Amino acid sequence: MTELQQIRSPVQSLPPDDFFWLIKRIGADDALAVLQKASTEQWQYLLDLEIWAKDVLDAQKTMAWIDRLRRADAARLAAWAFEEQSVLVSLALLRKTEIIFKEEEDEWDVPPGYFTLDGSFYIKTRDSSEAQLVEDFLRVLAGTDYSSYRALLLQLASVSPAETEEELY
């Protein structure tokens, strides 16, 4: 057993509901070390309880939790987002951002307030107070796996928010 596995096993051995209550007791923003040691199954349970208001996804809470998970373990968050949570990430991005795709040969002025990480996708948050949070998250995704990052943003055009939300719930 590696040292990291030994460190993680006490947290990961908690049942998901106990893990949830531990995070609530510590406080979400003070629990980054515990979130880092948690399993993705515990993350999922936590998000299932925290980001839904009845049967509607709360995009603001979703992005806040994504940011906490990013600060706790950015590489694992990116892998988890691409492998298991692309639908959730897509829905949150659709709710919180406007994304414009610009082909290389297109010549046009980018509207104010948009940023780009690659010169193709221009992103603007609907709430300027969340701009840095969204940009930091997208930087982690792009830095971890650029092809998956592009694929995620490209597929946003085909996502139906209502159907996706129902599927996730």
Side-chain angles (χ1 to χ4, degrees):
M1 186 180 272
T2 69
E3 185 177 330
L4 183 58
Q5 288 171 323
Q6 289 173 341
I7 292 170
R8 286 188 175 184
S9 48
V11 171
Q12 291 183 359
S13 66
L14 289 172
D17 57 335
D18 289 345
F19 173 76
F20 170 79
W21 289 111
L22 175 64
I23 298 299
K24 295 300 269 184
R25 175 123 173 123
I26 294 170
D29 291 322
D30 294 329
L32 297 181
V34 177
L35 289 169
Q36 180 185 31
K37 293 171 182 67
S39 69
T40 54
E41 291 79 18
Q42 289 168 318
W43 283 3
Q44 182 65 57
Y45 186 85
L46 178 67
L47 290 181
D48 285 346
L49 294 178
E50 286 290 315
I51 65 176
W52 293 94
K54 296 187 181 181
D55 61 345
V56 177
L57 182 75
D58 184 323
Q60 185 172 0
K61 284 184 179 179
T62 302
M63 292 308 297
W65 276 103
I66 285 173
D67 188 53
R68 289 181 189 106
L69 296 176
R70 178 193 60 80
R71 289 183 284 143
D73 191 339
R76 191 158 55 112
L77 172 63
W80 188 56
F82 291 137
E83 294 168 15
E84 299 178 37
Q85 297 299 317
S86 63
V87 175
L88 175 68
V89 169
S90 296
L91 185 56
L93 288 174
L94 280 171
R95 294 269 166 82
K96 302 308 283 178
T97 65
E98 296 174 18
I99 300 174
I100 299 171
F101 178 70
K102 178 183 175 243
E103 305 253 358
E104 288 180 22
E105 62 274 357
D106 289 347
E107 287 192 32
W108 54 277
D109 292 329
V110 178
Y114 284 80
F115 70 91
T116 184
L117 302 179
D118 61 3
S120 295
F121 292 97
Y122 290 82
I123 301 132
K124 178 180 180 180
T125 57
R126 297 181 197 283
D127 179 349
S128 61
S129 69
E130 296 177 322
Q132 193 61 54
L133 179 152
V134 170
E135 184 174 346
D136 290 346
F137 175 57
L138 292 175
R139 282 189 187 284
V140 165
L141 294 181
T144 302
D145 184 343
Y146 183 70
S147 316
S148 295
Y149 162 78
R150 284 186 59 85
L152 178 75
L153 293 183
L154 279 171
Q155 65 101 22
L156 286 178
S158 65
V159 173
S160 166
E163 289 174 19
T164 302
E165 188 170 69
E166 187 174 323
E167 177 186 327
L168 279 172
Y169 184 72

